Amino acid sequence: MSVADLPKIELHLHHEGAAPPAFIRQLAFEKKIDLSRIFTDDGSYAFENFVHFLQVYEAATSVLQSPEDFARLTRAILEESARHGVVYTESFLSPDFCGGGDVAAWKEYLHAIREAADQAERDFGIILRGIVTPVRHFGPEKAKRAALCAAETAGDWIVGLGMGGDEGQGHQGDFAYAFDMAREAGLRLTTHAGEFGGPESVWEAIRDLNVERIGHGVRAIEDTKLVQELAARQITLECCPGSNVFLGLYPDLPSHPIARLRDAGVKVTVSTDDPPFFHNTMSREYDMLASAFGWDEDDFRALNQTALDAAFCDADTKARVKEKLESA
Ligand code: ADE
Ligand code: ZN
């Protein structure tokens, strides 16, 4: 058996970022929106660098205009993830893209997404939970509105708050109010840090937002004290190696710090981030990691156990996921 055939947990997946280009093109066609500029001739997403990626991402997202569009997207994403053996996913959902930050509208989007996820669980056996996502470059005021949407819908399905967006804008601490609001509502916390920001951004995430997981976090490797701190606090990194290589953070997978972080005692997990943008899948991530670092089935089973421990869902859901991991 190849490691790519193992059942998998994915903790870091952007809902809109998982939209296949053909799906976005179809919606653009239906709504008569010209999006040709964001595609290459062969139909892939076209972007030059990280900031351009975020612009193309938002242009693609502009065709997702209703709860029904997000329901269709949810089914498409989960069908594809299940095809790659994913049994449990946490995806990032932005109220900014689902009703413009309005709580009532957000609830309608969420209702449609949950219905689609429930159906996909029955059809494909994959479980989805949501993490509400303020977009960093939209600023702290919009983040507060997103956090309010999160607080108003916190529960067994919306399980966390996790900031994405351009790490080059402002500081993690600028968003402390939003994170405090989410924490008080019982939500678990993660933020993108140490991707395009250096170790200082990871220190800020720990110190100023008090998160228990970090999106990426890989640039912590540049600061030995920080690596020790992550290990001591048992903070889990949502590593996305293929995404980092595609966006030019590292020249190739053998240069990626995931194995060194793991060997230093940091809790690491593996996710795809925005798979159609970076031409990766969870199966491919497993295959690539196995060939870059010699990881075997036991390593990947341990990786999934780390992910299960760090998942934001409740104990009943974890028990069901565990069964899925073990029965395969
Ligand atoms: N939004 C979608 N993908 C992202 C990434 N890799 N980093 C920050 N924000 C994102
Ligand atoms: Zn991400």
Side-chain angles (χ1 to χ4, degrees), residues 13-20 45 53 57 61 73 273-277:
L13 180 75
H14 296 266
H15 216 82
E16 307 85 14
Y45 293 115
F53 154 72
Y57 183 109
T61 299
L73 174 61
D273 212 6
D274 307 281
F277 284 84

Side-chain angles (χ1 to χ4, degrees), residues 36-89:
S36 52
R37 72 187 185 285
I38 70 163
F39 297 111
T40 59
D41 290 344
D42 71 1
S44 304
Y45 293 115
F47 51 92
E48 305 281 332
N49 53 43
F50 177 59
V51 171
H52 189 207
F53 154 72
L54 291 173
Q55 291 163 354
V56 168
Y57 183 109
E58 281 160 33
T61 299
S62 70
V63 306
L64 296 162
Q65 297 173 339
S66 67
E68 294 68 37
D69 292 342
F70 269 86
R72 277 165 76 180
L73 174 61
T74 302
R75 185 172 176 84
I77 295 170
L78 293 176
E79 181 168 14
E80 174 67 4
S81 289
R83 221 165 57 77
H84 290 280
V86 179
V87 296
Y88 175 77
T89 300

Side-chain angles (χ1 to χ4, degrees), residues 210-230:
N210 198 14
V211 293
E212 58 181 293
R213 291 191 342 216
I214 289 182
H216 301 280
V218 287
R219 291 195 54 199
I221 199 71
E222 297 165 28
D223 178 340
T224 310
K225 269 213 162 66
L226 179 55
V227 171
Q228 288 164 352
E229 184 79 10
L230 292 173

Side-chain angles (χ1 to χ4, degrees), residues 106-118:
W106 161 246
K107 285 183 176 169
E108 284 179 26
Y109 276 77
L110 189 55
H111 180 75
I113 292 166
R114 283 190 65 164
E115 270 193 351
D118 288 348

